Amino acid sequence: MARQLDEQIVGRFPVGKRLRVLDVGMGQGTQALRLARAGHQVTGLEQDAKMIAVARESLAGEPEGIRERMRIIEGDGRDTGVHFLPGSFDVVLCHGVLMYVEEPDPLLAGLARMLAPGGLLSLLVRNGDALAIRPGLSGDWAGALAAFDTTAYLPHSRTDSNRGTPIRLGLDVRADRLKDLTATLAGIGAPLHAWYGVRVFTDTAADGAEVPADVETLLAVEEKAGRTDPYRGVAALLHLCGVRG
């Protein structure tokens, strides 16, 4: 997903431009720190105190120049209008968050308002069109059959790009369908520009599985599949990139 995001940033903004980035639901700050290290001015918004503590600890270990480029704010992503003025950011990230929001449309509209004209909105969501894949591959036929007609699911565990480690939540969450999100993005003035699949082949990996020796080849396969039909359409996650008109 990071490679996909970088591709969109490079293709949209002048090389070397220091971008204003907002990471909503930044978790432990993996993406926020990565972009701060790349020279961008990054604001991380997170409501979980434990995640904020981890992010602050990681930031404290960075060189002064990187620490100065990143700030962390405790808050809910649905309240961006309280913290920031409209058009304050060139890039807004919202990765692994929508699945925990029952009514995502107000959140998405608020994120779009944060973008300057031509700004990039990056969303990572659970793929509601592929919920039957995981139970089907594991032989859970009843679970696979039920998954065709719903966008709700009980996660096996959560591992996302912002938090990095599996977290068993034990609560029902929701997925999004590409068609619905495409319509939503058009309606909020940040129409879909590009989309990718994430975790096409690796979503069924066991928790705690060792990183394979050929991890670079694995990543190359996932990256290729994530941009290639029909594979990207059955990925566990979708990475959608909208552009503010």
Side-chain angles (χ1 to χ4, degrees):
M1 189 214 64
R3 296 182 186 187
Q4 296 163 358
L5 178 61
D6 288 348
E7 177 182 73
Q8 291 300 313
I9 289 175
V10 169
R12 177 144 298 276
F13 301 102
V15 175
K17 180 179 179 179
R18 179 173 291 187
L19 302 174
R20 302 163 298 166
V21 179
L22 173 63
D23 188 353
V24 174
M26 70 166 186
Q28 63 187 21
T30 302
Q31 291 300 322
L33 271 172
R34 188 181 71 84
L35 291 170
R37 292 180 188 125
H40 303 303
Q41 196 74 34
V42 182
T43 300
L45 186 65
E46 174 62 52
Q47 64 178 347
D48 188 300
K50 292 182 179 179
M51 291 295 177
I52 290 174
V54 173
R56 291 192 187 282
E57 183 178 357
S58 298
L59 183 60
E62 296 289 331
E64 182 180 357
I66 295 175
R67 295 199 306 271
E68 291 176 348
R69 287 197 296 270
M70 182 172 165
R71 61 173 174 159
I72 298 172
I73 297 175
E74 183 173 357
D76 192 307
R78 290 167 288 196
D79 298 327
T80 49
V82 174
H83 301 286
F84 316 110
L85 294 174
S88 294
F89 298 96
D90 304 300
V91 179
V92 173
L93 314 180
C94 186
H95 296 162
V97 174
L98 289 192
M99 57 193 72
Y100 304 105
V101 180
E102 186 174 351
E103 297 291 340
D105 286 4
L107 168 62
L108 288 171
L111 299 184
R113 284 193 293 271
M114 295 299 104
L115 285 170
L120 179 68
L121 175 60
S122 174
L123 305 175
L124 186 70
V125 304
R126 192 76 188 186
N127 184 3
D129 293 319
L131 291 181
I133 294 291
R134 184 167 190 159
L137 291 177
S138 65
D140 177 7
W141 307 121
L145 189 61
F148 285 108
D149 299 315
T150 184
T151 55
Y153 72 103
L154 182 66
H156 172 254
S157 66
R158 180 183 71 194
T159 304
D160 66 40
S161 64
N162 291 337
R163 290 162 173 84
T165 55
I167 303 171
R168 296 183 181 278
L169 296 174
L171 49 86
D172 287 320
V173 293
R174 47 173 296 283
D176 289 281
R177 298 188 186 277
L178 177 62
K179 180 180 178 181
D180 295 337
L181 274 180
T182 299
T184 298
L185 290 172
I188 61 176
L192 184 65
H193 174 72
W195 69 277
Y196 308 86
V198 176
R199 288 190 355 213
V200 177
F201 299 115
T202 56
D203 190 54
T204 57
D207 290 350
E210 292 186 7
V211 176
D214 58 347
V215 64
E216 287 301 321
T217 306
L218 180 156
L219 290 172
V221 170
E222 282 283 352
E223 185 176 7
K224 181 70 172 179
R227 65 178 66 246
T228 304
D229 292 323
Y231 304 103
R232 63 177 181 165
V234 296
L237 304 170
L238 297 179
H239 180 198
L240 289 81
C241 298
V243 175
R244 181 71 173 175

